Amino acid sequence: MTQNFILIGMPGSGKSTLGQTLADELSYHFIDTDDVIMDTYHHTLMQLIQAHGTEGFIEREGKVLMSIHTNHAIISTGGSAIYHDEAMQYLKKTGAVIYLKHAYSDLTARVGNMVTRGVVCRGGCQTLMDLYQERCPLYEKYADITVDLTRCSVQECNRRLLRAVKVYLDQQSKS
């Protein structure tokens, strides 16, 4: 059985930063799917969204997610991965999905310009709050583990995430 940990969450939630640290702690591989998408299509996320539209980007992102075949990896997904149900179901079969949950107020300073960052907005969302309200229920839907990282330092976020993973691994070894 493959045992990966797939990180989901809002832009600015720390999926890449915390994911790399977690991979180092566990001696797992680290995969940032945004990097894989850009390497695959030879464009930035923003360029892909502009060229193919939201739905076209989501389709391309889903194909990349379903092409990942690995074991003992921390996989940091783009915040929009949850828009592609088939890809999320595939990832759930390869390991545990961890939702890095933050309060909205924690994300406002981290995200910056949603357009230049390459953030996918469905349904005409215009603001970070629109995006937050749209996505949080989807993150909760797919999560096997939710780690609340509200108002914690990077070091504390790392500790909380590692603790949650160790608890999960301990439970898996007992079952």
Side-chain angles (χ1 to χ4, degrees):
M1 179 183 140
T2 58
Q3 186 54 65
N4 300 312
F5 290 98
I6 300 94
L7 304 181
I8 62 173
M10 286 289 291
S13 64
K15 297 178 299 288
S16 297
T17 302
L18 298 174
Q20 182 64 65
T21 302
L22 181 62
D24 292 344
E25 288 281 338
L26 298 175
S27 297
Y28 275 36
H29 303 290
F30 177 73
I31 299 170
D32 187 320
T33 63
D34 283 348
D35 291 341
V36 177
I37 292 166
M38 290 186 288
D39 290 346
T40 300
Y41 295 106
H42 309 292
H43 291 309
T44 66
L45 302 177
M46 184 178 70
Q47 289 169 332
L48 289 167
I49 294 165
Q50 289 173 341
H52 303 286
T54 299
E55 295 307 316
F57 176 83
I58 291 167
E59 189 57 35
R60 283 164 178 76
E61 180 178 37
K63 286 180 183 177
V64 167
L65 294 173
M66 291 185 294
S67 75
I68 295 172
H69 304 286
T70 189
N71 193 15
H72 288 91
I74 305 301
I75 302 169
S76 169
T77 65
S80 58
I82 43 86
Y83 291 137
H84 198 288
D85 182 66
E86 186 180 1
M88 287 305 301
Q89 296 305 329
Y90 167 79
L91 290 172
K92 285 178 77 64
K93 290 178 185 172
T94 73
V97 174
I98 303 174
Y99 169 29
L100 303 182
K101 182 178 181 176
H102 288 272
Y104 171 75
S105 58
D106 287 354
L107 299 170
T108 55
R110 295 180 187 180
V111 173
N113 186 313
M114 291 193 331
V115 174
T116 57
R117 188 175 177 130
V119 175
V120 172
C121 292
R122 261 188 160 170
C125 71
Q126 299 295 314
T127 67
L128 183 60
M129 178 55 88
D130 293 340
L131 191 72
Y132 186 80
Q133 291 175 337
E134 177 183 272
R135 288 187 180 181
C136 286
L138 294 170
Y139 295 134
E140 291 169 7
K141 170 185 172 182
Y142 290 113
D144 297 306
I145 303 166
T146 298
V147 182
D148 190 342
L149 302 176
T150 299
R151 289 182 285 286
C152 66
S153 66
V154 173
Q155 295 80 10
E156 179 59 23
C157 288
N158 282 321
R159 281 192 289 277
R160 289 182 190 182
L161 179 56
L162 182 60
R163 187 177 326 120
V165 167
K166 285 184 174 180
V167 166
Y168 177 84
L169 290 170
D170 187 50
Q171 291 171 344
Q172 293 301 306
S173 70
K174 292 177 181 175
S175 59

